Amino acid sequence: NKKAFVELLFWKSPAIVCEMTKGYGSLQEGEGTTRSRVPPWTPQEEQELRELYWKYKEVEGGDIIAAILAHLPTLGRTRKQVVKQLVRM
């Protein structure tokens, strides 16, 4: 590809670099993306997150996210995922 040097001017993820070297379209659907690794939030999880937020938001001097993580029934959620979901909601 004569114009491949232009692609080098922009930041690439490891998945994109792999695709560039092996040929475009070589990655399967969702492969190499972080979104495929993060399970989506179910409506029940969102409701529980909302309830836990309203319960712990009034606690003085406490870390709201830590309290939510301690009482969130779904294991495997990270602090970053909880914060991102709260902001999205």
Side-chain angles (χ1 to χ4, degrees):
N1 186 355
K2 295 180 181 179
K3 306 217 190 267
F5 67 92
V6 175
E7 290 188 21
L8 298 175
L9 298 175
F10 301 98
W11 178 257
K12 303 285 186 249
S13 69
I16 300 298
V17 172
C18 178
E19 189 175 25
M20 284 174 57
T21 57
K22 292 182 180 179
Y24 292 104
S26 62
L27 291 179
Q28 298 298 322
E29 181 68 31
E31 184 180 329
T33 61
T34 56
R35 293 178 191 228
S36 64
R37 289 184 244 153
V38 177
W41 288 81
T42 64
Q44 294 83 13
E45 289 175 326
E46 287 181 356
Q47 181 62 30
E48 292 198 28
L49 183 62
R50 190 175 290 113
E51 289 171 5
L52 288 170
Y53 172 75
W54 287 108
K55 180 179 178 181
Y56 292 110
K57 80 174 197 134
E58 300 297 328
V59 176
E60 290 292 325
D63 186 8
I64 298 171
I65 304 301
I68 289 173
L69 281 171
H71 294 92
L72 198 62
T74 306
L75 298 176
R77 295 286 184 189
T78 63
R79 182 179 182 90
K80 184 176 179 180
Q81 290 172 346
V82 170
V83 169
K84 188 174 182 179
Q85 184 65 18
L86 283 171
V87 168
R88 190 187 69 76
M89 292 178 3

